Amino acid sequence: MDMSKEKAPTERRGSVVERVINGIISSIIEGELRPGDQLPTEPELCKKYDAGRNSVREAIKQLQAYGVVYIRRADGTYISDSYDQKMLDPMLYNIILHQNDWKDFVTLRAVIDIGTLELALTLPNVTDCVPDLERIVDAMEEEMHSPDPSKERIMELDTQFHDTIANTVHNPQVASVTEYITRLTVPSRMNTVERVLRQEGEVDNFVALHRQIVDLIACRDAAHIVKVVQDHYIYWENDIESEQPAQKEVPG
């Protein structure tokens, strides 16, 4: 192993530890690791995150302090399977442990978007974000119509779109909740994007639904917030409903 990783400056070391922590948290969110599962071994984590042993140990130490993992002596490190107030991002982890239905997340995301837009449209400078939103949607349209569209790039732009709206209200709690739901719903939304890209003519409709939100903000059209948000999630909601029977047949 390259021990130079352990001799890096404090700032570099900190970024490596954060990378390991965020990687493990992302693995839990995406279902690669589930509550009660044993973490990969220290050498495996070093290889996966390109990190030295000290950085991996520090990351595990911090996750243990947060209550996300616990250590069984002479056995290994495990993902916590019960809720604890000291957990990193407690609301996020509590949602993970409850294994909510994807349809619940659609509803939650819609409620958050409706509330955020209602608050945003009361602010005097809310339309300042319109040029940024238009740029994001233009980039999304270009990517989706490209010969080899990247689902990851489309997801990145969609995240930027919703983050930009959330940031207009200048409330860190709104931004945090939006980030939580965005992270939790990546697998489901990725499936939706894949299906839209496969269906002829649906890309333009998908982009148009984003433009409706931009137009709503530009016109300060508070009366149509609920309808526009509900329309925006029609692909995601229909996609989840179509998958539910197959999901029930998967052995637990």
Side-chain angles (χ1 to χ4, degrees):
M1 180 175 294
D2 184 3
M3 298 305 294
S4 64
K5 294 186 180 74
E6 303 305 314
K7 298 178 181 179
T10 302
E11 183 177 355
R12 163 71 175 160
R13 169 75 182 282
S15 66
V16 175
V17 172
E18 290 170 4
R19 183 169 71 237
V20 177
I21 290 174
N22 290 334
I24 292 173
I25 292 294
S26 293
S27 293
I28 297 171
I29 291 171
E30 294 166 11
E32 181 182 343
L33 291 171
R34 299 182 180 278
D37 283 354
Q38 185 173 11
L39 275 184
T41 64
E42 185 177 286
E44 290 171 335
L45 291 173
C46 289
K47 181 178 180 180
K48 182 173 183 177
Y49 298 113
D50 188 26
R53 287 180 296 177
N54 288 346
S55 293
V56 168
R57 288 171 183 172
E58 178 62 24
I60 297 301
K61 181 180 178 182
Q62 290 189 30
L63 287 171
Q64 183 183 17
Y66 295 142
V68 175
V69 303
Y70 64 95
I71 297 175
R72 293 179 183 171
R73 290 186 179 276
D75 188 4
T77 303
Y78 290 79
I79 307 298
S80 296
D81 55 4
S82 60
Y83 179 68
D84 191 314
Q85 286 290 338
K86 68 181 180 180
M87 282 178 175
L88 174 69
D89 292 343
M91 187 185 80
L92 172 62
Y93 205 76
N94 194 29
I95 291 173
I96 295 170
L97 289 171
H98 280 85
Q99 297 292 308
N100 298 66
D101 189 280
W102 285 119
K103 193 175 178 69
D104 294 339
F105 288 123
V106 177
T107 302
L108 178 58
R109 182 68 179 265
V111 167
I112 293 168
D113 283 350
I114 290 168
T116 300
L117 285 168
E118 287 183 344
L119 176 58
L121 293 188
T122 67
L123 303 178
N125 300 323
V126 65
T127 55
D128 290 351
C129 73
V130 169
D132 287 338
L133 292 174
E134 289 177 337
R135 175 185 55 79
I136 294 169
V137 177
D138 287 344
M140 182 185 297
E141 182 174 29
E142 181 179 358
E143 183 65 37
M144 296 186 81
H145 280 293
S146 66
D148 186 22
S150 166
K151 298 187 296 292
E152 291 75 16
R153 175 59 177 160
I154 295 167
M155 291 291 294
E156 177 186 341
L157 290 166
D158 184 68
T159 297
Q160 289 179 18
F161 182 86
H162 290 282
D163 285 350
T164 298
I165 295 173
N167 289 333
T168 62
V169 300
H170 305 292
N171 184 320
Q173 300 304 324
V174 172
S176 294
V177 171
T178 300
E179 181 185 357
Y180 291 149
I181 303 304
T182 296
R183 291 177 65 189
L184 282 165
T185 57
V186 164
S188 178
R189 290 188 297 120
M190 185 76 79
N191 290 338
T192 297
V193 169
E194 289 178 350
R195 284 167 173 75
V196 169
L197 290 172
R198 290 199 303 264
Q199 296 172 3
E200 186 176 354
E202 295 304 328
V203 166
D204 290 335
N205 291 333
F206 185 83
V207 172
L209 292 173
H210 284 77
R211 293 200 189 281
Q212 281 185 9
I213 293 180
V214 180
D215 292 343
L216 180 142
I217 294 172
C219 299
R220 293 179 173 274
D221 185 10
H224 291 91
I225 289 176
V226 174
K227 182 181 186 306
V228 168
V229 170
Q230 289 176 339
D231 288 348
H232 183 75
Y233 288 111
I234 190 66
Y235 282 108
W236 190 18
E237 188 169 16
N238 288 346
D239 191 45
I240 291 168
E241 288 177 349
S242 67
E243 285 188 345
Q244 281 181 341
Q247 290 176 342
K248 292 177 181 177
E249 295 173 3
V250 177

Coordinates of all heavy atoms in Angstrom, one line a residue, residues 99-155:
Q99 N -37.5 1.9 5.6 CA -37.7 1.3 4.3 C -39.0 1.8 3.7 O -39.9 1.0 3.3 CB -37.7 -0.2 4.5 CG -36.4 -0.8 5.0 CD -35.3 -0.7 4.0 OE1 -35.4 -1.1 2.9 NE2 -34.2 -0.1 4.4
N100 N -39.2 3.1 3.6 CA -40.5 3.6 3.0 C -40.7 3.2 1.6 O -39.7 3.0 0.8 CB -40.4 5.2 3.1 CG -40.3 5.7 4.5 OD1 -39.3 5.5 5.2 ND2 -41.4 6.3 5.0
D101 N -41.9 3.1 1.2 CA -42.3 2.9 -0.2 C -41.9 4.0 -1.0 O -42.0 5.2 -0.6 CB -43.8 2.7 -0.3 CG -44.2 2.2 -1.6 OD1 -44.4 3.0 -2.5 OD2 -44.5 1.0 -1.8
W102 N -41.4 3.8 -2.3 CA -41.0 4.9 -3.2 C -42.1 5.9 -3.4 O -41.9 7.1 -3.6 CB -40.6 4.3 -4.5 CG -39.2 3.6 -4.5 CD1 -38.9 2.3 -4.8 CD2 -38.0 4.2 -4.2 NE1 -37.6 2.1 -4.7 CE2 -37.0 3.3 -4.3 CE3 -37.6 5.5 -3.8 CZ2 -35.6 3.5 -4.0 CZ3 -36.3 5.8 -3.5 CH2 -35.3 4.8 -3.6
K103 N -43.4 5.4 -3.4 CA -44.5 6.3 -3.7 C -44.6 7.3 -2.5 O -45.0 8.5 -2.8 CB -45.8 5.5 -3.8 CG -47.0 6.3 -4.3 CD -48.2 5.5 -4.5 CE -49.4 6.3 -5.0 NZ -49.2 6.8 -6.3
D104 N -44.2 6.9 -1.3 CA -44.2 7.9 -0.2 C -43.2 9.0 -0.5 O -43.4 10.1 -0.1 CB -43.8 7.1 1.1 CG -44.8 6.1 1.5 OD1 -46.0 6.2 1.1 OD2 -44.5 5.2 2.3
F105 N -42.1 8.7 -1.1 CA -41.1 9.7 -1.4 C -41.6 10.6 -2.5 O -41.2 11.8 -2.4 CB -39.8 9.0 -1.8 CG -39.0 8.3 -0.7 CD1 -38.7 7.0 -0.8 CD2 -38.7 9.0 0.4 CE1 -38.1 6.3 0.2 CE2 -38.0 8.4 1.4 CZ -37.7 7.0 1.3
V106 N -42.3 10.1 -3.4 CA -42.9 11.0 -4.4 C -43.8 12.1 -3.7 O -43.7 13.3 -4.0 CB -43.7 10.3 -5.5 CG1 -44.4 11.2 -6.5 CG2 -42.8 9.3 -6.2
T107 N -44.6 11.6 -2.8 CA -45.5 12.5 -2.1 C -44.7 13.5 -1.3 O -45.0 14.7 -1.3 CB -46.5 11.7 -1.2 OG1 -47.2 10.7 -2.0 CG2 -47.4 12.6 -0.5
L108 N -43.7 13.0 -0.6 CA -42.9 13.8 0.3 C -42.2 14.9 -0.5 O -42.2 16.1 -0.2 CB -41.9 13.0 1.1 CG -41.0 13.8 2.0 CD1 -41.7 14.6 3.0 CD2 -40.0 12.8 2.7
R109 N -41.6 14.5 -1.6 CA -40.9 15.4 -2.5 C -41.8 16.5 -3.1 O -41.5 17.6 -3.1 CB -40.2 14.6 -3.7 CG -39.4 15.5 -4.6 CD -38.1 16.1 -3.9 NE -37.4 16.8 -4.9 CZ -36.4 16.4 -5.6 NH1 -36.0 15.1 -5.5 NH2 -35.7 17.1 -6.4
A110 N -43.0 16.0 -3.5 CA -44.0 17.0 -4.0 C -44.4 18.0 -2.9 O -44.6 19.2 -3.2 CB -45.3 16.2 -4.5
V111 N -44.7 17.5 -1.7 CA -45.0 18.4 -0.6 C -43.9 19.4 -0.4 O -44.2 20.6 -0.2 CB -45.3 17.6 0.7 CG1 -45.4 18.5 1.9 CG2 -46.6 16.8 0.6
I112 N -42.7 19.0 -0.4 CA -41.6 19.9 -0.2 C -41.5 20.9 -1.3 O -41.3 22.1 -1.0 CB -40.3 19.1 -0.1 CG1 -40.2 18.3 1.2 CG2 -39.1 20.0 -0.1 CD1 -39.1 17.2 1.3
D113 N -41.7 20.5 -2.5 CA -41.6 21.4 -3.7 C -42.7 22.4 -3.6 O -42.5 23.6 -3.9 CB -41.7 20.6 -5.0 CG -40.3 19.9 -5.3 OD1 -39.3 20.2 -4.6 OD2 -40.3 19.1 -6.2
I114 N -43.9 21.9 -3.3 CA -45.0 22.9 -3.2 C -44.8 23.9 -2.2 O -45.0 25.1 -2.4 CB -46.4 22.1 -2.9 CG1 -46.8 21.3 -4.2 CG2 -47.5 23.1 -2.6 CD1 -47.9 20.3 -3.9
G115 N -44.4 23.5 -1.0 CA -44.1 24.5 0.1 C -43.0 25.4 -0.3 O -43.1 26.6 0.0
T116 N -41.9 24.9 -0.9 CA -40.8 25.7 -1.2 C -41.2 26.8 -2.3 O -40.8 28.0 -2.1 CB -39.7 24.9 -1.8 OG1 -39.2 23.9 -0.8 CG2 -38.5 25.7 -2.2
L117 N -42.0 26.4 -3.2 CA -42.4 27.3 -4.3 C -43.4 28.4 -3.7 O -43.3 29.6 -4.1 CB -43.1 26.6 -5.4 CG -42.1 25.8 -6.4 CD1 -42.9 24.9 -7.3 CD2 -41.3 26.8 -7.2
E118 N -44.3 27.9 -2.8 CA -45.2 28.9 -2.2 C -44.4 30.0 -1.4 O -44.7 31.2 -1.5 CB -46.2 28.2 -1.3 CG -47.2 27.4 -2.1 CD -48.3 26.8 -1.2 OE1 -48.0 26.7 0.0 OE2 -49.3 26.4 -1.7
L119 N -43.4 29.5 -0.7 CA -42.6 30.5 0.0 C -41.7 31.4 -0.9 O -41.6 32.6 -0.8 CB -41.7 29.7 1.0 CG -40.7 30.6 1.8 CD1 -41.4 31.7 2.6 CD2 -39.8 29.7 2.7
A120 N -41.1 30.7 -1.9 CA -40.3 31.4 -2.8 C -41.0 32.5 -3.6 O -40.5 33.6 -3.8 CB -39.7 30.4 -3.9
L121 N -42.2 32.3 -4.0 CA -43.0 33.3 -4.7 C -43.4 34.5 -3.9 O -43.9 35.5 -4.5 CB -44.2 32.6 -5.4 CG -43.9 31.6 -6.5 CD1 -45.2 31.2 -7.2 CD2 -42.9 32.1 -7.5
T122 N -43.2 34.4 -2.6 CA -43.5 35.6 -1.8 C -42.3 36.5 -1.7 O -42.4 37.6 -1.2 CB -43.9 35.2 -0.3 OG1 -42.8 34.6 0.3 CG2 -45.1 34.2 -0.4
L123 N -41.1 36.0 -2.2 CA -39.9 36.8 -2.0 C -39.7 37.8 -3.2 O -40.0 37.4 -4.4 CB -38.7 35.9 -1.9 CG -38.8 34.8 -0.8 CD1 -37.6 33.9 -0.8 CD2 -38.9 35.6 0.6
P124 N -39.2 39.0 -3.0 CA -39.2 40.0 -4.0 C -38.2 39.6 -5.2 O -38.4 40.0 -6.3 CB -38.7 41.2 -3.3 CG -38.0 40.7 -2.0 CD -38.8 39.5 -1.7
N125 N -37.1 38.9 -4.8 CA -36.1 38.6 -5.9 C -36.1 37.2 -6.4 O -35.1 36.7 -6.9 CB -34.7 38.9 -5.3 CG -34.6 40.4 -4.8 OD1 -35.1 41.3 -5.5 ND2 -33.9 40.6 -3.7
V126 N -37.2 36.5 -6.2 CA -37.2 35.1 -6.6 C -37.0 34.9 -8.1 O -36.3 33.9 -8.5 CB -38.6 34.4 -6.2 CG1 -39.7 35.0 -7.0 CG2 -38.5 32.9 -6.4
T127 N -37.4 35.8 -8.9 CA -37.2 35.7 -10.4 C -35.7 35.8 -10.8 O -35.4 35.5 -11.9 CB -38.0 36.7 -11.2 OG1 -37.7 38.0 -10.7 CG2 -39.5 36.4 -11.0
D128 N -34.9 36.2 -9.9 CA -33.4 36.2 -10.2 C -32.9 34.9 -10.6 O -31.8 34.8 -11.2 CB -32.6 36.8 -9.0 CG -32.9 38.3 -8.8 OD1 -33.6 38.9 -9.6 OD2 -32.5 38.8 -7.7
C129 N -33.5 33.8 -10.1 CA -33.0 32.5 -10.4 C -33.4 31.9 -11.7 O -32.9 30.9 -12.2 CB -33.5 31.5 -9.3 SG -35.3 31.0 -9.4
V130 N -34.4 32.6 -12.4 CA -34.9 32.1 -13.7 C -33.8 31.9 -14.7 O -33.8 30.8 -15.4 CB -36.0 33.1 -14.2 CG1 -36.4 32.7 -15.6 CG2 -37.2 33.0 -13.3
P131 N -32.9 32.8 -14.9 CA -31.8 32.6 -15.9 C -31.0 31.3 -15.6 O -30.7 30.5 -16.6 CB -30.9 33.8 -15.9 CG -31.9 34.9 -15.4 CD -32.8 34.2 -14.4
D132 N -30.7 31.0 -14.4 CA -30.0 29.8 -14.0 C -30.8 28.6 -14.3 O -30.3 27.6 -14.8 CB -29.6 29.9 -12.5 CG -28.5 30.8 -12.2 OD1 -27.7 31.2 -13.2 OD2 -28.3 31.3 -11.1
L133 N -32.1 28.6 -13.9 CA -33.0 27.5 -14.2 C -33.1 27.2 -15.7 O -33.1 26.1 -16.1 CB -34.4 27.7 -13.6 CG -34.4 27.8 -12.0 CD1 -35.8 28.2 -11.6 CD2 -34.0 26.4 -11.4
E134 N -33.2 28.3 -16.5 CA -33.3 28.1 -17.9 C -32.1 27.5 -18.5 O -32.1 26.6 -19.4 CB -33.6 29.5 -18.6 CG -35.0 30.0 -18.3 CD -35.2 31.4 -18.9 OE1 -34.2 32.1 -19.2 OE2 -36.4 31.8 -19.1
R135 N -30.9 27.9 -18.0 CA -29.6 27.3 -18.4 C -29.6 25.8 -18.1 O -29.1 25.0 -18.9 CB -28.5 28.1 -17.8 CG -27.1 27.5 -18.1 CD -26.0 28.2 -17.3 NE -26.3 28.2 -15.8 CZ -26.1 27.1 -15.1 NH1 -25.6 26.0 -15.6 NH2 -26.3 27.2 -13.8
I136 N -30.0 25.5 -16.9 CA -30.0 24.1 -16.5 C -30.9 23.2 -17.4 O -30.5 22.1 -17.8 CB -30.4 23.9 -15.0 CG1 -29.3 24.6 -14.1 CG2 -30.6 22.5 -14.6 CD1 -29.7 24.7 -12.7
V137 N -32.1 23.7 -17.6 CA -33.1 23.0 -18.5 C -32.6 22.9 -19.9 O -32.7 21.8 -20.5 CB -34.5 23.6 -18.4 CG1 -35.4 22.9 -19.3 CG2 -35.0 23.6 -17.0
D138 N -31.9 23.9 -20.4 CA -31.4 23.9 -21.8 C -30.3 22.8 -21.8 O -30.2 22.0 -22.8 CB -30.8 25.2 -22.2 CG -31.8 26.3 -22.5 OD1 -33.0 25.9 -22.7 OD2 -31.5 27.5 -22.5
A139 N -29.4 22.7 -20.8 CA -28.4 21.7 -20.8 C -29.0 20.3 -20.7 O -28.5 19.4 -21.3 CB -27.4 22.0 -19.6
M140 N -30.1 20.2 -19.9 CA -30.7 18.9 -19.8 C -31.3 18.4 -21.1 O -31.2 17.3 -21.5 CB -31.8 19.0 -18.7 CG -32.6 17.7 -18.5 SD -34.0 17.9 -17.3 CE -33.1 18.4 -15.8
E141 N -32.0 19.4 -21.8 CA -32.5 19.0 -23.1 C -31.5 18.6 -24.1 O -31.6 17.6 -24.8 CB -33.3 20.3 -23.6 CG -34.0 20.0 -25.0 CD -34.9 21.2 -25.4 OE1 -34.5 22.3 -25.0 OE2 -35.9 20.9 -26.1
E142 N -30.4 19.4 -24.1 CA -29.3 19.0 -25.0 C -28.7 17.7 -24.7 O -28.4 16.9 -25.6 CB -28.2 20.1 -24.9 CG -27.0 19.8 -25.8 CD -25.9 20.9 -25.7 OE1 -26.1 21.9 -24.9 OE2 -24.9 20.8 -26.4
E143 N -28.5 17.3 -23.4 CA -28.0 16.0 -23.1 C -28.9 14.9 -23.4 O -28.5 13.9 -23.9 CB -27.7 16.0 -21.5 CG -27.1 14.7 -21.0 CD -25.7 14.5 -21.6 OE1 -24.9 15.5 -21.8 OE2 -25.3 13.3 -21.9
M144 N -30.2 15.1 -23.2 CA -31.2 14.1 -23.4 C -31.4 13.8 -24.9 O -31.8 12.7 -25.3 CB -32.5 14.4 -22.8 CG -32.5 14.5 -21.3 SD -34.1 14.7 -20.4 CE -34.7 13.0 -20.4
H145 N -31.1 14.8 -25.8 CA -31.2 14.6 -27.2 C -29.9 14.3 -27.9 O -29.8 14.1 -29.1 CB -31.7 15.9 -27.8 CG -33.2 16.1 -27.7 ND1 -34.1 15.2 -28.4 CD2 -34.0 16.9 -27.1 CE1 -35.4 15.6 -28.1 NE2 -35.3 16.6 -27.3
S146 N -28.8 14.1 -27.1 CA -27.5 13.8 -27.6 C -27.5 12.3 -28.1 O -28.4 11.5 -27.6 CB -26.4 14.0 -26.6 OG -26.6 13.1 -25.5
P147 N -26.6 11.9 -29.0 CA -26.6 10.5 -29.5 C -26.4 9.5 -28.4 O -26.9 8.4 -28.4 CB -25.4 10.5 -30.4 CG -25.2 12.0 -30.8 CD -25.6 12.8 -29.6
D148 N -25.6 9.8 -27.3 CA -25.4 8.9 -26.2 C -25.6 9.6 -24.9 O -24.6 10.0 -24.2 CB -24.0 8.4 -26.3 CG -23.7 7.3 -25.3 OD1 -24.6 6.6 -24.8 OD2 -22.5 7.0 -25.0
P149 N -26.9 9.9 -24.5 CA -27.1 10.6 -23.3 C -26.6 9.9 -22.1 O -26.7 8.7 -21.9 CB -28.7 10.8 -23.3 CG -29.1 9.6 -24.1 CD -28.1 9.4 -25.2
S150 N -26.1 10.7 -21.1 CA -25.6 10.2 -19.9 C -26.7 10.4 -18.8 O -27.1 11.5 -18.5 CB -24.3 11.0 -19.5 OG -24.0 10.7 -18.1
K151 N -27.1 9.3 -18.3 CA -28.1 9.3 -17.2 C -27.6 10.0 -16.0 O -28.3 10.8 -15.3 CB -28.6 7.9 -16.8 CG -29.2 7.1 -17.9 CD -29.7 5.8 -17.4 CE -28.6 4.9 -16.9 NZ -27.7 4.4 -18.0
E152 N -26.3 9.8 -15.7 CA -25.7 10.5 -14.6 C -25.7 12.0 -14.8 O -25.9 12.8 -13.8 CB -24.2 10.0 -14.4 CG -24.1 8.5 -13.9 CD -24.4 7.5 -15.0 OE1 -24.4 7.9 -16.2 OE2 -24.6 6.4 -14.7
R153 N -25.4 12.5 -16.0 CA -25.4 13.9 -16.2 C -26.8 14.5 -16.1 O -27.0 15.6 -15.6 CB -24.8 14.2 -17.6 CG -24.8 15.6 -18.1 CD -24.1 16.5 -17.2 NE -24.1 17.9 -17.6 CZ -23.8 19.0 -16.9 NH1 -23.5 18.8 -15.6 NH2 -23.8 20.2 -17.4
I154 N -27.8 13.8 -16.6 CA -29.1 14.2 -16.5 C -29.6 14.3 -15.1 O -30.2 15.3 -14.6 CB -30.1 13.3 -17.3 CG1 -29.7 13.3 -18.8 CG2 -31.6 13.6 -17.1 CD1 -30.4 12.2 -19.6
M155 N -29.2 13.3 -14.3 CA -29.5 13.3 -12.8 C -28.8 14.5 -12.1 O -29.4 15.2 -11.3 CB -29.1 12.0 -12.2 CG -29.9 10.8 -12.6 SD -31.6 10.9 -12.0 CE -31.3 10.8 -10.3

